[in-house]
Each structure stands twice: as C-alpha cells, then as structure tokens.
C-alpha cells in the first residue's frame, strides 16, 4: 500500500514549499514589471523630447519665432524641459553652403525602482535643420 499520487495533486507539505518559492520569486517579478514600466516611460519621454526639438529647430531655421518657447510648448507633458540652441542662420558669404540650426531639449527623468533606487537619468532630444528650409 503506497500513496497513489496523481499528477497535479499536492501533499500538505507542498503548500509550504510553494509559499517559500513565491516569496523568493515575487521581488524578482516586481522588479521586472517595474523595469518594463519605467522603460516605457523613458521611451515615451525620449520620443516627446525628439519631437519637441524638431518643432523648435523648424521655427529656429525658418526664423519664425522663439525656438525655446516653441520647444517647451511642444512637450506639455514634461515639466522643466531645458532647451539650448546653436547655429547662426546668416551665412558668412553668399557662396557658402547654408548653415545649420541645432536645438537640444533635455529632461531629467526620475527613476525609483523598488529595491533599486537609481535616482535620475537625463534624456536628450536633438534636432538639426539646414537654415532657410
């Protein structure tokens, strides 16, 4: 007479082992899910910054307004976007190739994963356009 255990049946001692295994794997699962969420947030922020820089450089290269305020307004979901511009859209002489305008938008993204505080990561979006279109 032996125990007739079928596949999938558990003995009373198995429930304690399952609890221990769950306790070991739960922090790893939370870390993986949190990492995926924060990766998606960072990707969204990067895409927003690049699009905002593109809007700002278009205004800057065509001379239609303030590229800093246009860039900041193009990223309304991000507070505190730092914008730098460079380039001079006045060619030195008529035969020179048209110069380029540059806009760089940066934002500090706060990453605080459970069990692993990483503080902040600075993300940059950069766009370049030939002056005059």
């Amino acid at each position: 007479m032996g125990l007739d255990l079928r596949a999938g049946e558990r003995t009373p001692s198995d429930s304690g082992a399952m609890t221990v295994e769950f306790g070991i794997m739960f922090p790893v699962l939370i870390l993986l899910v949190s990492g995926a969420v924060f990766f998606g947030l960072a990707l969204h922020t990067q895409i927003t910054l690049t699009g905002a820089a593109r809007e700002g450089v278009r205004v800057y290269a065509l001379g239609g307004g303030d590229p800093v305020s246009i860039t900041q307004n193009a990223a309304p979901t991000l507070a505190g976007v730092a914008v730098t511009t460079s380039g001079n859209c006045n060619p030195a002489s008529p035969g020179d190739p048209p110069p380029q305008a540059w806009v760089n938008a940066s934002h500090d993204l706060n990453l605080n994963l459970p069990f692993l505080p990483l503080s902040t990561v600075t993300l940059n979006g950069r766009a370049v356009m030939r002056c005059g279109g």
Side-chain angles (χ1 to χ4, degrees):
M1 268 215 233
L3 292 175
D4 185 22
L5 294 178
R6 295 183 186 151
E9 291 185 12
R10 295 186 179 101
T11 62
S13 63
D14 287 343
S15 64
M18 287 175 27
T19 304
V20 170
E21 291 170 1
F22 178 75
I24 291 171
M25 292 306 297
F26 186 69
V28 175
L29 178 67
I30 292 297
L31 188 64
L32 287 173
V33 170
S34 300
V37 168
F38 280 116
F39 177 77
L41 180 63
L43 183 63
H44 175 266
T45 302
Q46 180 67 43
I47 291 170
T48 302
L49 285 173
T50 303
R54 192 176 302 125
E55 291 293 324
V57 80
R58 183 178 299 123
V59 168
Y60 186 45
L62 298 176
D66 181 27
V68 174
S69 64
I70 295 294
T71 303
Q72 290 173 340
N73 291 337
T77 58
L78 304 177
V81 174
V83 179
T84 57
T85 61
S86 65
N88 185 3
C89 285
N90 298 321
S93 65
D96 288 344
Q100 293 180 340
W102 305 65
V103 172
N104 187 27
S106 62
H107 179 69
D108 291 333
L109 183 63
N110 189 10
L111 294 176
N112 286 322
L113 295 171
F115 316 112
L116 188 65
L118 297 175
S119 69
T120 59
V121 174
T122 301
L123 298 174
N124 294 309
R126 186 174 187 169
V128 181
M129 187 175 183
R130 187 176 66 202
C131 292

